[in-house]
Amino acid sequence: MVALSTAGTYHPAMTSSLLAAAPWWRPGSGRVLVVRGGRPLVGTYPISGAKNAALPLMVSALLTPHLVTLRNVPGNLDVAVLAALLQRLGCEMHWSARADGLAVTMSADRLRPADIDPELVSRMRASVLLLGALLARCGEARLPLPGGDAIGLRGIDFHIAGLRAMGATIALDGGMIEATAPDGLHGADILLPTPSVGATENLMLAAVLANGRTIIRNAACEPEVADLATCLAAMGARIAGIGSHQLTIEGGRALGGAVHAVLPDRIEFGTLACAAAASDGRLVLPHGRIALLGAAAPLYEAAGIAMHETQDGVIVERARDGLRGIDITTGPYPAFATDLQAPTMALLALAAGASAVTETVFEQRFRHVGELRKLGANIAVVGRTALVRGVARLQGAAATCTDVRAAAALIIAGLAADGETRLDGLEHLDRGYDGMAEKLAAVGADIARSDTSG
Ligand code: UD1
């Protein structure tokens, strides 16, 4: 695996805590990603384990004194940051590199609720998942309010309300979350206002150790949520309704260890399908699974991405009759994934005709629009909808990655554009993907990091 980061972004103390917890992590040297477009992507591009599954799965190790081993862990910055947070809490980790990605064996035998570095937490919203796990295992948790992508309010009110219903006392004070449950947590009947991925995971992590039955209604049913539930079940948790909108958890049972392989990353898979079609190439995506795309699968076919599953992986390429505009509306799984909205928009910028892209999950997830426009995309935003009118060619330009998925979108646009694209804001790319630039170079992209900004 290759793990990079943006030079100068980390102070030395943070770099050493990341390296101590995730020895495979490397702060990268290049501040700018230079993409020279016009080359079709051809070859085999390995899809990593899903970041959004790996993070909650790592937190699940806090629930037991026994060993939890995860395989197919993606080597990205978010994983390294979470590893540093877990190490600070007394969780021991042993990493090894394997053919199928990183493997980590975790031991939370000597877990201690410690103060958590606000700088680390500010870099990753998923750090809020520590709340449910620490409350359930230790009866207390003290956590700075989480950070993450600047894509909306991303409140944690559902997490807080659910944990309170389970008996926790929670105060928000000066940017800190102070939570206690001196008498332990108990089961509760919880209705989520919307099927929040993070809230479902947080409450599930707490519920498996809480006494009695917890029902999570209107639960998120993203494949990553199901992957967490499957691992918890392997640890001995009793969870019914895995993969559905209602989870019933019989808690209170001590959990054992488990060995679990992280689900393949459906977002990286969809992103590479867009990249192959945008560059008019042909990629084999081992570990890709069309079914995991949910509603995106038929829409991609309609947009002119040909996909078929083979024994070696999914073959993705541009359909013979070219790219066509489509209308998409993001939503909770199995609706079109909000995390694929930006990469898909980059493809649609090159499709014949018009597309309407409506974002319903996050209220500020169009920051990539202005950046794609710099490359010549014709996109207008009206409320929650972006109207994309396809253009024949994009033109390379300097642009900024504004969040994890915007980074992927800009790379797709740069790969298809004429001339040179220079991207900064690479911390976002590093947060979400394991060596994406290197993997793209291996399938023919002209892409490299550079320290020179001009
Ligand atoms: C997770 C994913 C992220 C993805 C998102 C939606 C991880 C680490 N991140 O984020 O990549 O884009 O799911 O698929 O898995 N909300 C509240 N209050 C809450 C919780 C959520 O108002 O307490 C709102 C959010 O502001 C957002 C919506 O609910 O508008 C969905 O958020 P949620 O599903 O919780 O996303 P995350 O778990 O943060």
Side-chain angles (χ1 to χ4, degrees):
M1 91 293 338
V2 185
L4 300 163
S5 180
T6 317
T9 310
Y10 307 101
H11 53 69
M14 176 172 305
T15 301
S16 61
S17 72
L18 291 178
L19 283 172
W24 45 266
W25 179 77
R26 294 287 172 276
S29 56
R31 284 185 297 114
V32 180
L33 188 65
V34 182
V35 186
R36 292 187 191 90
R39 290 172 165 223
L41 301 179
V42 179
T44 299
Y45 180 111
I47 300 297
S48 299
K51 168 182 88 82
N52 288 352
L55 298 172
L57 284 165
M58 287 169 70
V59 175
S60 74
L62 298 188
L63 297 175
T64 174
H66 300 283
L67 297 181
V68 173
T69 296
L70 299 176
R71 295 196 177 134
N72 198 28
V73 179
N76 59 45
L77 177 58
D78 268 9
V79 166
V81 168
L82 181 59
L85 287 169
L86 295 177
Q87 191 175 60
R88 171 89 185 125
L89 293 166
C91 178
E92 288 175 20
M93 277 162 287
H94 295 284
W95 294 92
S96 56
R98 294 165 37 102
D100 61 351
L102 292 164
V104 62
T105 296
M106 311 173 72
S107 166
D109 187 19
R110 283 180 295 238
L111 187 67
R112 50 171 192 266
D115 273 354
I116 291 174
D117 183 350
E119 173 71 20
L120 286 175
V121 168
S122 72
R123 285 174 185 272
M124 193 182 53
R125 178 174 161 82
S127 52
V128 73
L129 297 177
L130 295 170
L131 197 58
L134 284 174
L135 264 175
R137 178 96 191 276
C138 308
E140 59 178 301
R142 209 178 118 80
L143 203 71
L145 279 166
D149 283 334
I151 54 175
L153 293 175
R154 303 191 85 174
I156 55 164
D157 44 340
F158 309 161
H159 304 237
I160 304 279
L163 291 170
R164 280 187 176 142
M166 294 168 75
T169 301
I170 303 179
L172 301 178
D173 189 20
M176 294 293 292
I177 311 170
E178 315 255 5
T180 54
D183 303 324
L185 297 174
H186 54 74
D189 192 333
I190 298 164
L191 172 64
L192 292 178
T194 61
S196 155
V197 171
T200 303
E201 292 168 347
N202 218 343
L203 298 175
M204 186 161 52
L205 287 162
V208 291
L209 292 189
N211 279 319
R213 173 181 298 175
T214 295
I215 302 177
I216 307 176
R217 300 177 197 271
N218 201 23
C221 65
E222 267 68 0
E224 295 75 20
V225 178
D227 205 34
L228 172 65
T230 303
C231 180
L232 290 169
M235 291 162 71
R238 285 165 295 175
I239 306 176
I242 294 177
S244 79
H245 282 299
Q246 183 164 318
L247 295 167
T248 303
I249 300 149
E250 305 292 344
R253 206 194 232 194
L255 298 184
V259 177
H260 181 86
V262 178
L263 173 91
D265 194 326
R266 66 193 163 100
I267 305 302
E268 188 181 30
F269 170 56
T271 299
L272 266 294
C274 291
S279 73
D280 203 3
R282 184 176 196 270
L283 289 177
V284 181
L285 305 176
H287 315 302
R289 300 220 309 253
I290 296 175
L292 288 182
L293 290 177
L299 285 166
Y300 277 6
E301 296 280 354
I305 305 178
M307 300 187 278
H308 63 274
E309 273 174 12
T310 70
Q311 277 196 331
D312 300 328
V314 181
I315 296 177
V316 289
E317 59 193 328
R318 187 184 293 186
R320 268 198 212 105
D321 46 354
L323 303 174
R324 294 173 296 278
I326 50 165
D327 294 344
I328 60 181
T329 300
T330 65
Y333 194 81
F336 195 98
T338 173
D339 286 351
L340 283 174
Q341 182 252 105
T344 307
M345 194 185 291
L347 176 79
L348 296 176
L350 287 161
S355 304
V357 178
T358 303
E359 173 60 54
T360 73
V361 180
F362 292 110
E363 68 277 12
Q364 284 171 29
R365 209 169 204 185
F366 281 143
R367 294 176 72 211
H368 48 279
V369 168
E371 304 305 310
L372 288 171
R373 277 198 201 123
K374 291 177 183 169
L375 279 77
N378 182 347
I379 308 173
V381 175
V382 183
R384 289 196 148 198
T385 299
L387 297 169
V388 186
R389 292 181 181 86
V391 295
R393 306 291 312 166
L394 293 172
Q395 200 61 46
T400 298
C401 305
T402 49
D403 68 56
V404 170
R405 309 309 174 184
L410 289 166
I411 289 176
I412 292 171
L415 290 170
D418 296 330
E420 188 174 283
T421 293
R422 303 180 72 85
L423 303 177
D424 59 17
L426 299 185
E427 185 188 343
H428 294 297
L429 177 66
D430 298 333
R431 282 187 47 211
Y433 305 97
D434 181 350
M436 180 177 270
E438 292 77 7
K439 289 197 280 188
L440 285 169
V443 291
D446 186 343
I447 185 169
R449 294 168 89 115
S450 161
D451 260 329
T452 49
S453 48

